[in-house]
Amino acid sequence: MFRFEDPIYLYALVLIPVLALIRWWMVIRQRKQLRRFGDMELVRQLMPDVSRFRPLVKFCLLLTALALLIVVLARPQMGTKISHEKRTGIETIIALDISNSMLAEDVAPSRLDRAKMMVENLVDHFTNDKIGLIVFAGDAFVQLPITSDFVSAKMFLSSIEPSMIETQGTDIATAVTMATHSFTQEEGVGKAIIVITDGEDHEGGALEAAQEAKEKGMRVYVLGIGSTKGSPIPVPGTVDYMKDNTGETVMSALNEEMCKQVAEAGGGAYIHVENNSNAQEQLNHELDKLAKKEISSTVYSDYDEQFQAVCILVLLLLIAEICIMEIKNPHLKNLHLFSRKKTVTVLLLMMTMSVYAQTDRDYIRHGNKQYRAGKYAEAEVDYRKAMEKNARNPQASYNLGNALLAQKKDSAAIEQFQSAAKLETNARRKSWIYHNIGVICQGHQMFGEAIEAYKEALRNNPNDDETRYNLELCKRQQQQQNQDKQNQQQNKDNKDNKDKQDKNKDQEKQDQQKQQEKQQQQDKPQMSKENAEQLLNAAMQEEKNTQERIKKAQHQKQTRKLQKNW
C-alpha cells in the first residue's frame, strides 16, 4: 500500500505549470528581441554554436527534479515493514472482563481502568515475549491476536469499553476456551492465560474450561479486581447508578471464592488487585516462573519510507542537467560542471535526505500534532517511539506523561513524570513536571504526596503563582480531611460510649429484676416440717377409709323384692 505521510506538501506541485508558463513567456520574449537584430536565419548563422533544443531539455530536467523534490517533502511510504526476530520468552493471553460491573469505582479510578493500567504495566515489563488480548462479557472475541508488537497492544487497549459487547454478563468459560485456541503451535514455551475479572460468573463452566487449559499445558491466572463488600455501578455519562427491575441500586461485589477455584483448577494463582502495586509484582513473579524458549516473532512497524529512491532519481536528473551544455560543440576548458547554483541545489538535496531519517524529535513533533488534535492514544504511540529512539530524552518522557494524563491513566502518567524529572535539567520545565504530579495526586485526594510535589515545583520555580495557589488549597483540603477523620473517630467513640452505657443500664435493670424475684421468694411463708407430716398422714388416712368403704360394698348380699299380684 502506498501513501504520503505529509501530503500537504503536494500542493507545491502547482509551481510546475506556473514555472512552465513563465519559461514559455521568456522564450517568446527572447525571440521578439532577436528579431530586432535582423532576419532570424541570419542571426542563427551568426550563432552557430547555440542549440535551440538543449536549453529546453535542461529546463525540463530541472523542472522534473523540482517536482520530485516536492514529492520527497511529502514523504512517500510503501507498505509495512516486517521484521522476523528470534526471541526468548513466554506467550501470554490476557482475557479482560468488560462487563458493566467493571465500571464500579471501589478500585480507583474504576475496575476497568485499573485493569487497563495493569495490562499496560505488564506490557512494559515484557521484553522478548508475545501477548494477545481477549475481551469478554456475556460473549467473547479476540481484540488482538498474539503478537510481539507491544505498541499495537497498547493502542488496542486504549479503545476498550463495555459498549463493545452488547451481550452483558460474565462468561469466563468462553473467554478461557477462546484463549486456549489463540496460542501459537510452539512447543516447550510457557503459556499463560491471565483472566482479569470481578468474578461474577453468570454462565458457569469456568472450572471445567480452566481444567482443560491446564491439561493442554497452559496456566490460568486470575486477577480478582474489586471489593468483596460490593459497590454500586455508575451509569456512564450521568451521576446515577444502575438499578434492577425493582428499582433497587445494583451492588457488584468481588466473588473471591470463585476466582480462587478457577485459578486452582487452571494450575495458576489467584491475585487480589487493590489500590497498590503489590498485585503487579506478584503477577510478574508468577510469570517469571514459566518456561522460556527461543521463539520466532514477526514484528510489524509503520510504513517504510521510500524517499531515498526518489532522491537518487533527483540526483541523476541534476547530474544530467549539469552535463548537458547549451552549445553544440562544448570545449572541456569551458566546462563549469559544478557552478555555485548547482552546488547549492545538491547540498539542499543532501540536507533533505538527512532530515528525513527519522529521529526522536520527528516523532515528538508528530506526537505533538496528534496531541493538539485530541488524538491522545496516537500521540502516546509517537512519544513511545521517540523514547525507543532516545530513552534519555526528557521532552519525550514528559509529553508521554501528558498523553497518559489526558487518557486518565494517572498511575502510568505519574511514573512517566517521575522519569522525566530525573532526566530534565531545566529548572522551569522540571517545575512543570512536579506541578502535574501534584495535580494528579490532589485529584485522588493524596494530599500529602501532592503537597510534596508542589513544594518541589516551587523549589525549581519560586515565581509560579499557580503552583503556590494549588499548594495552599491542598493544605486546606488536607486539614479538612484530617478534621473529618477526627470527627468521624469522635462520633464513633461517642457511639461506642453510648452503646456501652446503654448496655450497662440494661445489665443493671436485669440485676434489679433478679434481685426482686429473689426477694419475693424469700418473703413467701414457709411450712414447718411437722405440719407437712400431719397433712401427709391425714391424706393417707382418708385414702385408706375410702378403700375400705369400696371393699365392704362389694361383699354385701343382694336382695330382690317381689311384687305380689294379689
Side-chain angles (χ1 to χ4, degrees), residues 431 433-439 441 448-459 467:
S431 172
I433 295 172
Y434 283 108
H435 178 89
N436 288 352
I437 294 176
V439 170
C441 294
E449 293 82 351
I451 290 173
E452 293 301 323
Y454 287 139
K455 288 181 178 179
E456 188 64 30
L458 289 175
R459 291 189 190 101
T467 301

Side-chain angles (χ1 to χ4, degrees), residues 377-412:
E378 291 80 356
E380 177 189 351
V381 174
D382 286 322
Y383 294 143
R384 290 190 182 279
K385 290 180 179 179
M387 293 188 65
E388 290 178 1
K389 291 284 185 180
N390 182 10
R392 305 292 299 175
N393 190 330
Q395 184 181 0
S397 184
Y398 174 71
N399 290 0
L400 176 58
N402 287 327
L404 293 171
L405 179 59
Q407 299 176 73
K408 298 182 179 180
K409 301 177 181 179
D410 294 341
S411 62

